Amino acid sequence: MIAEAGEQMTDAELVARYRRDPDLFTVVHDRYFRDIYLYVAGRLDTQIAEDITAETFLLAFDQRDRFDPERGGLRPWLFGFATNLIARHRRKETRHYRALARLGPEPALEGHENRVVASVAAQRMQPHLAKAMAALSGGERDVLLLVALGQLSYDEVAQALGIAAGTVGSRLSRARAKIHALIDKETAHG
């Protein structure tokens, strides 16, 4: 019965009804979950997208009495929550990289000689890399991590982020240049 009612109601009618009957919020969720999830997944990875999309609907449910149909529809209202949560996630990610940069290298683990040498070199570079990653813009960091960690092609990154492949190339080029410059500066002075 809720699904049938949801199909027939406009957003304004739905809002008026779910304020009285919170169970109707499931119609809002069913109507807009896919749109919000695809948007978030296009900006972040899919696991984070699931969490942020769920949090978007939780916030919208908690603040359902604040929705003002005079200011716009439900869809843009939900996208506003999602965009703010993405920004919060990115700020947290930047703080994480800055904290890693302050930690310094971890002590080397025992093991095979070649593995130890590689591990020491990587650990020595970790704080410099983390500091450089924190200095990148969110878009540059997203592209770099999708290519480096996700092993995505330029076209796949473009699809994931909803941008042109040429934009992927330019962001990746800027990110690499910034990282090289910052790491070279750090290793020369640090």
Side-chain angles (χ1 to χ4, degrees):
M1 184 161 130
I2 289 177
E4 291 173 14
E7 294 300 319
Q8 299 168 16
M9 284 187 272
T10 65
D11 282 354
E13 294 167 334
L14 182 57
V15 169
R17 287 189 57 195
Y18 80 61
R19 283 184 175 155
R20 291 185 307 262
D21 182 5
D23 289 339
L24 280 174
F25 195 79
T26 58
V27 176
V28 174
H29 180 273
D30 293 345
R31 189 178 285 182
Y32 294 113
F33 180 86
R34 184 175 188 276
D35 292 344
I36 299 299
Y37 173 79
L38 291 174
Y39 168 70
V40 175
R43 300 204 46 201
L44 304 171
D45 73 61
T46 56
Q47 184 176 7
I48 301 285
E50 290 175 15
D51 295 342
I52 288 180
T53 302
E55 192 173 350
T56 296
F57 284 94
L58 178 64
L59 283 170
F61 181 79
D62 288 346
Q63 296 183 27
R64 65 189 179 277
D65 291 333
R66 291 182 168 181
F67 176 75
D68 181 5
E70 299 291 321
R71 295 185 63 203
L74 276 172
R75 189 170 185 268
W77 186 61
L78 293 167
F79 274 91
F81 281 118
T83 300
N84 290 335
L85 290 170
I86 289 167
R88 184 186 328 160
H89 171 77
R90 286 197 167 146
R91 286 190 300 270
K92 209 158 121 180
E93 184 180 54
T94 299
R95 285 191 303 270
H96 170 75
Y97 285 124
R98 286 184 179 139
L100 283 176
R102 288 189 302 268
L103 286 177
E106 295 178 13
L109 302 173
E110 292 184 32
H112 189 268
E113 184 178 320
N114 290 337
R115 186 175 168 156
V116 170
V117 170
S119 177
V120 169
Q123 288 173 6
R124 194 179 120 252
M125 291 305 298
Q126 182 186 7
H128 303 298
L129 182 58
K131 187 174 183 179
M133 291 294 291
L136 297 177
S137 72
E140 292 166 343
R141 186 171 38 254
D142 290 344
V143 167
L144 181 68
L145 293 174
L146 284 169
V147 170
L149 298 178
Q151 300 294 305
L152 272 63
S153 69
Y154 283 25
D155 288 335
E156 290 170 325
V157 172
Q159 289 172 4
L161 299 178
I163 59 178
T167 302
V168 171
S170 62
R171 285 184 185 175
L172 186 59
S173 178
R174 281 194 309 271
R176 286 177 174 159
K178 285 180 181 179
I179 286 178
H180 285 294
L182 288 169
I183 286 177
D184 288 348
K185 180 181 173 185
E186 287 292 320
T187 55
H189 296 45

